[in-house]
Amino acid sequence: MKAICWHGHGDVRYESAPDPKIEDPRDAIIRVTRTAICGSDLHLLDGYMPTMKSGDVLGHEFMGEVMETGSGVTKLKKGDRVIVPFNIACGECFFCQKTLFSLCDRSNRNAEMAAKVMGYSPSGLFGYSHMLGGFSGGQAEYVRVPYADVGPLKIPDGLTEDQVLFLTDIFPTGYMAAENCEMEKGDTVAVWGCGPVGQFAIQSAWMFGAGRVIAIDHVPERLALAKSWGKAETIDFTKQDVFDTLHEMTRGRGPDRCIDAVGAEAHGTGSLDAVIDKAKAAVKLATDRLHALRQAIHCCRKGGTLSVPGVYVGFLDKVPFGSFVNKGLTMKTGQTHTHRYTRPLLEKIQAGAIDPTRLITHRARLSDAPALYKKFRDKEDGCIKVVMTP
């Protein structure tokens, strides 16, 4: 088959890769019909995620048609059209029973590797390093899906693939980010990052009763979408001081809830801490650039809540923990428990409560992915979200 494969920092290629095969009775083989480039894929492109190997197949946002099932799969049949959550869950362990699917105890076949870094291992992920299972991803013509009776969700007729593709990751991720804010009706919510997850966090904040949403970024197209689709007030951090502006907009109190939808590669153009982060990362003295997280902690009102859907990789440098503690903040984080949200969010799409296709700016063939990775990373040509067809 053809697939997008990782070969090192800045090097992804469209090339041949081994066809997937049934390896366990609970597996299914999916023919991919839609796949996407996710912001967290850029951490792989930029070399921030350890334990990648040359030739690894990338991609964790994908859907398609069931082609083959193992003998233990009873809920799917050949020809079913399904979306597949980006994280892999067994559905039976202690954590899955608590619907904490991204913490599944069984799905990471390299759990010992992750435990050395994290203490305990999270779930396995598609296309996201050997520390998280070494599973081939969905930027490919075909993919093997473990625990196929647990993760994939059958899509009813009448919905297009573009409408439902983002149920695999970014819509649930933005929704859980808003849910983790533990919002009270009428709250002011500030969202750092107007990329795909940030856009869905903005949409979801309204669903949870926000009274006001303020979006922070510097890319004109992203800010424009946050304003038009997201009905958010906006701050361009290259033109306005974020703290001072939020302070003024909230009459000196600060936003009630803050969402860091940026993660490990924050820019913070010109700020001293961001310059230091970039320099340290360049010489491998740091794994993450966390300007947005620092700023969110600083800006959040006393007693407020900080939600972090943004991906972080390793040890963070110079976190203002004194501010966090003395202001009595609460932080909620985590990879998304995607399986928990796919069905209820599908129902929101069916009901017309949200149109996820508004996010798509670029449609292309899978073979175009190497160029589009760089265009997406460099925010060129108004690129907010890329959807590809193998």
Side-chain angles (χ1 to χ4, degrees):
M1 68 173 184
K2 292 294 186 180
I4 302 303
C5 300
W6 184 92
H7 286 282
H9 185 177
D11 185 0
V12 298
R13 306 174 194 171
Y14 177 70
E15 62 187 17
S16 296
D19 291 333
K21 295 179 173 58
I22 297 289
E23 299 177 15
D24 182 276
R26 299 181 69 181
D27 288 350
I29 303 298
I30 306 294
R31 180 180 68 84
V32 177
T33 55
R34 286 288 191 281
T35 186
I37 300 175
C38 182
S40 54
D41 288 328
L42 300 182
H43 304 325
L44 307 181
L45 179 71
D46 293 338
Y48 280 85
M49 189 69 189
T51 72
M52 292 292 293
K53 296 182 180 179
S54 185
D56 283 349
V57 178
L58 299 176
H60 57 267
E61 290 183 290
F62 64 92
M63 65 172 296
E65 179 185 354
V66 177
M67 300 302 292
E68 184 181 357
T69 58
S71 59
V73 176
T74 61
K75 296 180 181 178
L76 298 180
K77 65 181 185 304
K78 185 175 180 179
D80 283 342
R81 190 171 62 138
V82 296
I83 61 96
V84 182
F86 75 95
N87 32 26
I88 302 167
C90 73
E92 298 169 347
C93 71
F94 172 87
F95 295 98
C96 286
Q97 289 298 302
K98 289 183 173 292
T99 74
L100 301 172
F101 296 104
S102 70
L103 306 178
C104 175
D105 249 348
R106 298 179 183 173
S107 60
N108 185 357
R109 55 191 177 186
N110 295 328
E112 299 83 0
M113 190 185 300
K116 288 179 181 178
V117 177
M118 304 179 196
Y120 299 93
S121 173
S123 71
L125 303 183
F126 288 103
Y128 217 80
S129 85
H130 289 265
M131 181 170 68
L132 297 175
F135 294 97
S136 290
Q139 290 172 7
E141 293 179 310
Y142 298 90
V143 63
R144 179 178 77 92
V145 177
Y147 303 110
D149 271 346
V150 179
L153 176 68
K154 287 190 278 189
I155 300 303
D157 294 337
L159 291 173
T160 67
E161 294 180 335
D162 286 349
Q163 284 179 289
V164 299
L165 174 61
F166 302 144
L167 291 171
T168 60
D169 179 0
I170 55 174
F171 187 8
T173 296
Y175 189 84
M176 188 172 117
E179 182 181 69
N180 278 348
C181 285
E182 299 180 339
M183 226 172 282
E184 297 177 6
K185 191 172 180 60
D187 276 349
T188 295
V189 182
V191 179
W192 273 257
C194 296
V197 169
Q199 298 289 345
F200 278 117
I202 292 167
Q203 296 288 325
S204 301
W206 294 120
M207 295 178 190
F208 280 99
R212 190 178 187 188
V213 180
I214 303 169
I216 302 154
D217 205 301
H218 74 295
V219 180
E221 294 83 3
R222 293 184 175 192
L223 289 168
L225 187 62
K227 188 173 183 178
S228 62
W229 185 42
K231 311 303 180 188
E233 301 165 71
T234 59
I235 297 174
D236 181 340
F237 65 76
T238 65
K239 298 177 180 178
Q240 300 161 277
D241 181 272
V242 174
F243 179 86
D244 289 347
T245 305
L246 286 173
H247 184 82
E248 181 179 348
M249 293 173 78
T250 59
R251 297 183 179 180
R253 181 179 293 170
D256 304 290
R257 317 293 168 191
C258 295
I259 297 175
D260 170 11
V262 178
E265 293 190 74
H267 292 283
T269 305
S271 62
L272 179 61
D273 69 314
V275 171
I276 293 171
D277 284 343
K278 187 173 183 179
K280 285 190 171 184
V283 295
K284 308 301 183 185
L285 290 177
T287 56
D288 301 73
R289 307 199 308 257
L290 61 150
H291 173 75
L293 178 62
R294 294 190 192 105
Q295 194 171 72
I297 291 171
H298 189 56
C299 291
C300 193
R301 74 150 164 88
K302 293 179 289 186
T305 304
L306 178 61
S307 173
V308 185
V311 172
Y312 286 91
V313 177
F315 294 94
L316 304 188
D317 192 20
K318 295 180 174 57
V319 177
F321 203 64
S323 172
F324 183 85
V325 171
N326 287 292
K327 287 166 62 180
L329 303 182
T330 297
M331 184 185 293
K332 297 196 74 172
T333 68
Q335 293 283 8
T336 309
H337 308 304
T338 316
H339 305 54
R340 183 196 294 173
Y341 302 106
T342 51
R343 191 172 298 280
L345 295 184
L346 173 64
E347 292 171 0
K348 287 185 180 293
I349 295 170
Q350 288 178 300
I354 186 170
D355 176 14
T357 65
R358 288 284 301 272
L359 193 64
I360 301 170
T361 55
H362 291 65
R363 291 177 174 86
R365 304 294 299 180
L366 186 64
S367 55
D368 298 322
L372 285 167
Y373 258 90
K374 295 176 175 61
K375 183 174 288 189
F376 181 37
R377 179 193 62 192
D378 298 337
K379 303 173 182 64
E380 298 173 346
D381 191 29
C383 187
I384 296 175
K385 190 61 181 180
V386 175
V387 171
M388 300 177 294
T389 305

